[in-house]
Amino acid sequence: MYAYILKRLLLMVPTLLGILLLTFVVIQFVPGGPVEQMVAQLEGRDTGGETAARGGAYRGRQGVDAARIAEIRAFYGFDKPAPERFWQMLRQYARFDLGKSFFYPKTVWELVKEKLPVSISLGLWTFLLSYVISVPLGIAKAVRAGSRFDTLTSLIVLVGYAIPGFVLGVALLVIFGGQLQWFPLRGLTSANWDSLSWGARITDYLWHITLPVTASVLGAFAVTTMLTKNAFLEEIRKQYVLTARAKGLGENTVLWKHVFRNALIPIVTGFPAAFIGAFFTGSLLIETLFSLDGLGLLSYESVMRRDYPVVLGTLYLFTLIGLVTKLISDLCYVWVDPRVKFD
């Protein structure tokens, strides 16, 4: 197994390099970069990163002398050839130096740490609720397969899965935030958060996070619930279950002692990826809808503003975490089922 782990770790290097290289090359051909935006601001215009898209051929350099253009290019590091900039970026990333934002007076690390608590709040609650509710529900559906309970819950779960999270979020905002005014319309905490006691802070936080989490978690129920149900049904129909029942074991003993561990293999092996993803993934539409300043909104704004250090830095960080998490998920197969051998 150690040879397998070493091989996977070595394969991460070309995978990571390929993703960074592809993104870096694409960025070179995207119009409306930071240099063009700065030139447009000097001329009294605001491109918003879309000059070339709106006006066809770029005309931003008219009215700004060449020396000033050269200074701007040097300020953003575009005076160097692309291969040299890419190599310099790789050397920085090897030291986990993600660089500094073009448009924020902060480093990429500072921006990630600043936005991460919002994404953690949204993702972690979504992860916990989806597993805590979906796994028991999937087991109950498998035990009662074909019953009225199974049909009704399947209908509810699939309807919830079919409704996009942002559509549900709009409905929740209009009904519970606007008409009934039971929940706040925006933000993660109230304006007087600092003056509240600890108990009031917890209540205020849960009050604000209820609607965003509800809009995010509904779609996550279906996949986990149906996966749990199908895994249990597959195990229940196997020969060892019939043998256990023939020996006179009770249904609860058969279900929880024999079926449970084998049926949870696909659920448990996906647990690391879902858990880590809860910390580093952000839902752009949900964050925008509820005015939550998290990683999803940061990534979108960075792409639109052509903030290349933030785009590439967060891509490097999240890709590295994703590759390591995938390895941990594969190793969980051995932990859950010792019969699995990577050899």
Side-chain angles (χ1 to χ4, degrees):
M1 186 173 70
Y2 293 106
Y4 172 80
I5 296 175
L6 179 61
K7 182 169 65 174
R8 287 288 300 271
L9 291 175
L10 293 176
L11 286 175
M12 290 181 187
V13 177
T15 303
L16 193 59
L17 289 177
I19 293 174
L20 290 175
L21 177 60
L22 180 62
T23 307
F24 185 84
V25 170
V26 171
I27 282 178
Q28 307 308 306
F29 300 99
V30 175
V35 175
E36 289 84 354
Q37 294 186 46
M38 178 63 72
V39 172
Q41 291 177 10
L42 292 175
E43 293 185 334
R45 299 183 294 111
D46 186 10
T47 63
E50 300 176 356
T51 301
R54 292 199 307 265
Y58 173 68
R59 301 186 298 273
R61 295 189 179 184
Q62 297 178 359
V64 180
D65 58 77
R68 184 60 172 160
I69 296 293
E71 291 180 4
I72 297 174
R73 292 180 61 85
F75 176 78
Y76 288 115
F78 287 94
D79 57 329
K80 302 175 183 178
E84 183 179 347
R85 286 188 279 117
F86 182 71
W87 175 245
Q88 182 180 358
M89 181 188 72
L90 292 181
R91 288 189 299 174
Q92 289 180 341
Y93 287 176
R95 304 190 305 267
F96 286 95
D97 178 9
L98 303 183
K100 188 176 181 180
S101 169
F102 285 158
F103 300 100
Y104 296 95
K106 300 178 182 179
T107 64
V108 177
W109 274 114
E110 290 174 341
L111 286 173
V112 171
K113 288 188 290 185
E114 180 182 310
K115 312 294 184 182
L116 189 57
V118 176
S119 296
I120 288 178
S121 296
L122 188 60
L124 193 57
W125 281 112
T126 302
F127 164 78
L128 289 176
L129 289 177
S130 62
Y131 267 80
V132 168
I133 297 176
S134 298
V135 172
L137 180 60
I139 296 174
K141 287 172 62 62
V143 174
R144 301 172 177 84
S147 66
R148 188 173 299 177
F149 169 81
D150 182 30
T151 304
L152 181 60
T153 53
S154 295
L155 179 62
I156 295 174
V157 167
L158 293 178
V159 169
Y161 180 74
I163 300 176
F166 70 93
V167 175
L168 178 61
V170 171
L172 293 175
L173 276 178
V174 171
I175 298 174
F176 297 101
Q179 296 179 356
L180 300 177
Q181 297 183 357
W182 289 354
F183 297 95
L185 296 175
R186 57 186 303 159
L188 199 60
T189 56
S190 299
N192 61 337
W193 165 265
D194 295 331
S195 62
L196 298 176
S197 63
W198 280 106
R201 287 184 179 184
I202 294 175
T203 304
D204 181 77
Y205 166 75
L206 295 176
W207 184 46
H208 280 77
I209 202 66
T210 298
L211 293 186
V213 169
T214 303
S216 301
V217 79
L218 195 61
F221 282 157
V223 176
T224 309
T225 300
M226 302 309 293
L227 179 62
T228 304
K229 174 191 172 182
N230 294 332
F232 267 80
L233 283 178
E234 183 179 356
E235 293 297 323
I236 289 174
R237 294 164 181 167
K238 288 186 177 180
Q239 185 63 41
Y240 75 89
V241 176
L242 297 177
T243 303
R245 287 172 175 168
K247 290 181 177 179
L249 296 179
E251 191 65 26
N252 289 333
T253 303
V254 173
L255 180 64
W256 298 109
K257 187 176 181 180
H258 296 276
V259 176
F260 186 76
R261 181 173 182 177
N262 293 326
L264 282 186
I265 289 178
I267 308 299
V268 174
T269 51
F271 189 91
F275 184 74
I276 298 298
F279 287 86
F280 292 99
T281 57
S283 175
L284 169 63
L285 295 174
I286 297 298
E287 290 181 6
T288 303
L289 185 62
F290 292 94
S291 300
L292 303 176
D293 191 11
L295 291 176
L297 191 59
L298 173 65
S299 301
Y300 173 75
E301 291 179 346
S302 301
V303 172
M304 295 304 298
R305 300 181 68 178
R306 311 297 192 264
D307 197 347
Y308 298 146
V310 178
V311 174
L312 290 169
T314 53
L315 175 68
Y316 167 75
L317 179 63
F318 299 157
T319 303
L320 183 61
I321 293 173
L323 292 173
V324 174
T325 304
K326 181 62 178 175
L327 174 59
I328 296 174
S329 299
D330 292 342
L331 295 178
C332 283
Y333 278 103
V334 178
W335 175 67
V336 175
D337 189 356
R339 296 172 298 177
V340 175
K341 303 295 182 182
F342 289 115
D343 299 335

